[in-house]
């Protein structure tokens, strides 16, 4: 028992080590090959498979796979890269089985390695399209073979991605590999459901149904209980009209019940919304008509690519999946979001709009939103033509809202001609936006100087390098100026703030706080200044949405 566990542990360590390396050192990073030389002798099986091991009798030459020329790294993209979806290779049943035999024979892969990569590919494909805040409840229907194992692994990864998976695994096997997968899922408190426990209508309880029942090696007609499970999934393709939202169906490699090469022969089989092909798509995938087709299993070595003449799409970055074909054409007019938010009523507002902004800004920070200080700045010059762009808020108080820029930029020229501007903050995850309008003036030189020297030295140099909004001959022009300035100030001396760089402050004359609500009946509360006993106060009005 100990030996298989050790083998599995080493495989996982290798996978994690590669992921960690790539997150820090991209393949074109100069020292990446140095790291590859250090690590590859410790993990020969996986590196052989990924980087083109020819046969079980070959000796590995470290220089061949991890030389300073980068040959080994480039060999990871082993198949011929194609971008035309019509020219992608498809496998018949015999070829798919033969590739598996080669991978698990002379190329040294184990079943659990391939299953881990396949399940991760399925999970990342799902996460690419169906976000956990909208499609949280996932039912994985797992068959008795390797396809079922892929479903079990995918469920584990989906749990870590923030989904709530449920497992239906009717025909368990006594094999240690599958028992280990079950143990891993149980340790995460992922519930297992028997066929009897499942609702007859799966649409009432789940957002995603993962069809991982039968793969390309299945023959004959489905037998109980899988025939019933397949029919329940088929029924999801014809949802009851009373259901506002039917679960999406994700099939792993082959929609269960389909012929591997001919597809859905009866025309009454599963109609998945997403198909995740593994290694290379099978011939039946040509008959897939759903909106999302992904390829997973990023482990095809050159020897297999050459032998089977595989033309496959390029995987982006470090992703374990890649879309095949174009994303579905969307009817833009049909795109809509029914906002669900707490009511924003007058008795909940702060009397001071600055205090109300601080409250909402703190909520945006607590929600860990990306750049909650990003705001759209709209300006207009003497020609009356408005311009908008995103800038970053760098401070605010009762004197106004501050950002920094080049005083010779387009927005600066427009502000000099018309010192009135508008700001817009949009916090999507909170269904909130804030509009602010007012007059603009430059901040003091002392304030700009203080902020300039609080920035990283690279940002200081960037402010000098960029003559914002002017035409330049190319990106290399910027890099050359950057290198010259880095050399000039390499001794750590103070970098002087350029005279053409500094801050602006918008002094608000209007605030509007917007909270999205169902059926477009949004909350809109506007603050405008008014005088009370010679003092400035703020009037709050509710606006029709």
């Amino acid at each position: 028992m100990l030996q298989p566990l050790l083998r599995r542990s080493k495989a996982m360590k290798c996978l994690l080590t590669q992921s960690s390396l790539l997150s820090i050192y991209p393949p074109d990073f100069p020292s990446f090959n140095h790291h590859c030389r250090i690590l590859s002798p410790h993990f020969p099986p996986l590196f052989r498979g990924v980087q083109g091991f020819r046969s079980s009798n070959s000796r590995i030459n470290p220089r061949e796979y991890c030389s300073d020329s980068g040959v080994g790294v480039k060999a990871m993209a082993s198949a011929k890269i194609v971008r035309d979806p019509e020219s992608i290779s498809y496998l018949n049943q015999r070829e798919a089985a033969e590739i598996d035999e080669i991978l698990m024979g002379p190329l040294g892969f184990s079943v659990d390695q391939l299953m881990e990569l396949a399940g991760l590919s399925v999970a990342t494909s799902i996460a690419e399209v169906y976000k956990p805040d909208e499609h949280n409840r996932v039912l994985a229907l797992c068959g008795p073979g390797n396809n079922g194992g892929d479903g079990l692994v995918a469920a584990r990864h989906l749990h870590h991605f923030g989904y709530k998976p449920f497992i239906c695994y009717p025909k368990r096997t006594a094999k240690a590999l599958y028992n280990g997968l079950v143990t891993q899922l149980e340790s995460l408190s992922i519930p297992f459901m028997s066929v009897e426990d499942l609702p007859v209508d799966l649409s009432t309880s789940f957002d995603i149904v993962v069809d991982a029942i039968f793969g390309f090696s299945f023959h004959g007609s489905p037998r109980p209980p899988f025939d019933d499970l397949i029919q329940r999934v088929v029924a999801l393709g014809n949802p009851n009209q009373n259901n506002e939202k039917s679960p999406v169906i994700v099939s792993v490699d082959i929609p269960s019940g389909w012929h591997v090469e001919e597809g859905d022969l009866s025309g009454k089989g599963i109609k998945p919304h997403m198909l995740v092909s593994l290694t290379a798509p099978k011939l039946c995938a040509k008959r897939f008509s759903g909106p999302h087709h992904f390829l997973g299993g990023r482990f095809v070595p050159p020897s297999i690519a050459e032998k089977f003449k595989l033309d496959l799409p390029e995987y982006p970055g470090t992703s374990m999946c890649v879309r095949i074909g174009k994303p579905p054409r969307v009817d833009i007019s049909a795109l809509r979001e029914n906002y669900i938010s707490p009511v924003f009523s007058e008795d909940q507002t702060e009397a001071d709009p600055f205090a109300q902004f601080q409250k909402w800004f703190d909520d945006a920070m607590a929600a860990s939103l990306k750049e909650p200080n990003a705001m759209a700045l709209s300006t207009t010059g003497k020609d009356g033509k408005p311009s908008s762009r995103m800038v970053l808020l760098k401070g605010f108080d009762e004197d106004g809202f501050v950002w920094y820029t080049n005083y010779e930029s387009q927005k600066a020229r427009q502000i000099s001609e018309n010192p009135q501007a508008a700001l817009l903050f949009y916090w999507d995850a909170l269904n909130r936006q804030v509009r602010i309008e007012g007059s603009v003036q430059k901040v003091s030189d002392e304030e700009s100087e203080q902020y300039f020297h609080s920035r990283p030295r690279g940002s200081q140099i960037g402010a000098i390098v960029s003559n914002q909004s002017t035409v330049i001959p190319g990106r290399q022009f910027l890099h050359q100026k950057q290198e010259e300035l880095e050399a000039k100030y390499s001794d750590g001396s103070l970098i002087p703030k350029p005279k053409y760089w500094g801050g602006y402050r918008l002094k608000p004359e209007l605030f509007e706080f917007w909270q999205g609500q169902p059926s477009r009946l949004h909350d809109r509360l506007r603050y405008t200044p008014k005088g009370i006993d010679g003092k400035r106060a703020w009037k709050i009005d509710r606006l029709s949405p």
Side-chain angles (χ1 to χ4, degrees):
M1 283 292 291
L2 183 59
Q3 201 61 26
L5 287 173
L6 286 172
R7 258 201 318 275
R8 202 146 47 231
S9 174
K10 288 180 179 179
M12 288 302 297
K13 280 184 181 178
C14 182
L15 186 61
L16 290 169
T17 303
Q18 288 186 81
S19 301
S20 301
L21 262 181
L22 288 169
S23 69
I24 302 171
Y25 304 108
D28 57 354
F29 191 80
S31 63
F32 180 85
N33 292 313
H34 168 69
H35 290 273
C36 186
R37 274 201 302 275
I38 293 172
L39 289 171
S40 60
H42 296 287
F43 309 107
L46 191 55
F47 273 77
R48 289 174 189 171
V50 171
Q51 296 185 330
F53 186 57
R54 302 297 184 195
S55 73
S56 58
N57 297 322
S58 301
R59 285 182 61 84
I60 291 184
N61 180 351
R63 293 188 178 278
E64 179 182 354
Y65 297 100
C66 297
S67 67
D68 288 329
S69 67
V71 172
V73 175
K74 292 178 181 177
M76 293 173 74
S78 51
K80 179 183 175 184
I81 302 302
V82 298
R83 288 177 173 79
D84 179 7
E86 296 300 320
S87 63
I88 290 172
S89 300
Y90 290 78
L91 299 174
N92 60 36
Q93 189 173 31
R94 178 190 56 78
E95 291 169 332
E98 189 176 347
I99 287 176
D100 265 14
E101 290 175 5
I102 296 172
L103 286 169
M104 291 184 286
L107 291 185
F109 279 87
S110 61
V111 176
D112 52 332
Q113 281 181 320
L114 296 177
M115 205 172 283
E116 185 67 31
L117 293 168
L120 177 58
S121 299
V122 172
T124 55
S125 298
I126 291 172
E128 191 78 18
V129 177
Y130 304 112
K131 304 306 177 187
D133 55 345
E134 299 175 356
H135 296 80
N136 187 251
R137 303 164 301 168
V138 181
L139 173 63
L141 300 175
C142 300
N146 289 355
N147 220 44
D150 297 341
L152 295 173
V153 174
R156 169 161 45 80
H157 286 293
L158 288 170
H159 168 84
H160 292 302
F161 291 171
Y163 296 82
K164 186 177 180 181
F166 299 80
I167 313 291
C168 181
Y169 186 29
K171 296 287 187 182
R172 300 193 186 189
T173 173
K175 293 181 180 179
L177 168 59
Y178 297 88
N179 286 337
L181 294 176
V182 170
T183 300
Q184 293 163 18
L185 294 165
E186 289 176 340
S187 72
L188 297 172
S189 299
I190 295 174
F192 281 75
M193 305 178 70
S194 67
V195 176
E196 294 73 26
D197 291 335
L198 289 176
V200 175
D201 182 2
L202 299 179
S203 65
T204 60
S205 303
F206 305 104
D207 305 308
I208 299 173
V209 174
V210 178
D211 160 31
I213 301 174
F214 298 130
F216 65 78
S217 60
F218 178 76
H219 296 277
S221 300
R223 289 183 290 188
F226 299 110
D227 53 351
D228 174 60
L229 286 177
I230 289 175
Q231 287 309 307
R232 294 196 207 186
V233 178
V234 168
L236 296 177
N238 303 293
N240 188 307
Q241 291 184 352
N242 294 328
N243 292 330
E244 290 187 10
K245 182 179 176 183
S246 181
V248 296
I249 305 167
V250 179
S251 286
V252 178
D253 207 22
I254 306 289
S256 295
W258 280 29
H259 189 280
V260 180
E261 296 168 4
E262 301 298 327
D264 182 14
L265 293 175
S266 68
K268 299 178 180 179
I270 293 174
K271 293 177 174 58
H273 303 83
M274 173 184 282
L275 175 62
V276 184
S277 294
L278 299 172
T279 307
K282 315 308 178 285
L283 280 171
C284 67
K286 288 189 173 184
R287 303 182 185 275
F288 169 69
S289 59
H292 306 292
H293 188 188
F294 280 79
L295 178 65
R298 191 176 183 171
F299 47 70
V300 179
S303 57
I304 287 181
E306 293 164 9
K307 177 178 175 62
F308 293 90
K309 296 181 171 55
L310 296 183
D311 294 342
L312 299 175
E314 183 176 10
Y315 285 85
T318 59
S319 178
M320 288 301 297
C321 64
V322 57
R323 183 182 286 276
I324 298 178
K326 297 179 181 178
R329 191 178 292 273
V330 176
D331 178 7
I332 296 177
S333 67
L335 291 176
R336 56 179 49 86
E337 180 77 24
N338 194 33
Y339 301 103
I340 306 297
S341 310
V343 170
F344 181 48
S345 59
E346 287 80 349
D347 60 357
Q348 296 173 336
T349 62
E350 300 288 339
D352 183 346
F354 292 95
Q356 183 61 47
F357 181 85
Q358 180 72 67
K359 187 176 180 179
W360 274 21
F361 189 81
D362 290 344
D363 289 345
M365 289 290 292
S368 299
L369 304 186
K370 183 179 180 181
E371 292 192 323
N373 60 327
M375 57 186 186
L377 166 65
S378 298
T379 54
T380 306
K382 61 184 178 182
D383 59 2
K385 296 180 179 179
S387 296
S388 298
R389 77 287 290 161
M390 300 302 295
V391 297
L392 296 177
L393 177 69
K394 289 300 177 181
F396 73 92
D397 54 27
E398 292 199 356
D399 290 330
F401 291 72
V402 176
W403 69 93
Y404 291 86
T405 188
N406 188 303
Y407 285 152
E408 297 174 356
S409 63
Q410 181 194 33
K411 54 183 166 296
R413 290 195 299 272
Q414 289 184 325
I415 289 172
S416 67
E417 296 170 358
N418 178 16
Q420 298 288 323
L423 305 175
L424 172 64
F425 294 85
Y426 179 57
W427 298 308
D428 173 61
L430 300 176
N431 298 331
R432 287 174 175 175
Q433 62 178 339
V434 181
R435 295 174 53 213
I436 305 172
E437 298 175 4
S439 59
V440 181
Q441 61 184 21
K442 291 181 179 178
V443 305
S444 67
D445 287 340
E446 293 77 15
E447 193 172 343
S448 292
E449 188 84 33
Q450 182 179 7
Y451 174 72
F452 181 81
H453 290 297
S454 73
R455 307 173 88 207
R457 289 178 69 84
S459 298
Q460 295 179 40
I461 288 175
I464 303 172
V465 166
S466 175
N467 189 6
Q468 202 174 88
S469 301
T470 60
V471 176
I472 58 175
R475 187 164 184 81
Q476 187 57 37
F477 173 79
L478 295 176
H479 286 311
Q480 184 176 343
K481 290 181 65 176
Q482 180 186 31
E483 291 171 0
E484 291 171 357
L485 286 171
E486 285 176 345
K488 181 177 179 180
Y489 297 109
S490 61
D491 59 355
S493 58
L494 184 72
I495 301 173
K497 181 189 78 66
K499 293 181 179 180
Y500 52 78
W501 190 95
Y504 285 102
R505 177 178 282 105
L506 181 144
K507 188 171 183 62
E509 296 161 6
L510 177 147
F511 286 83
E512 183 188 311
F513 293 85
W514 178 98
Q515 176 81 68
Q517 296 294 351
S519 302
R520 295 295 184 267
L521 299 179
H522 312 307
D523 293 317
R524 293 179 62 191
L525 296 181
R526 182 184 63 190
Y527 289 72
T528 51
K530 65 176 182 178
I532 299 179
D533 298 331
K535 296 181 180 179
R536 185 180 185 181
W538 293 89
K539 178 186 177 185
I540 302 176
D541 293 304
R542 176 172 287 272
L543 304 180
S544 175

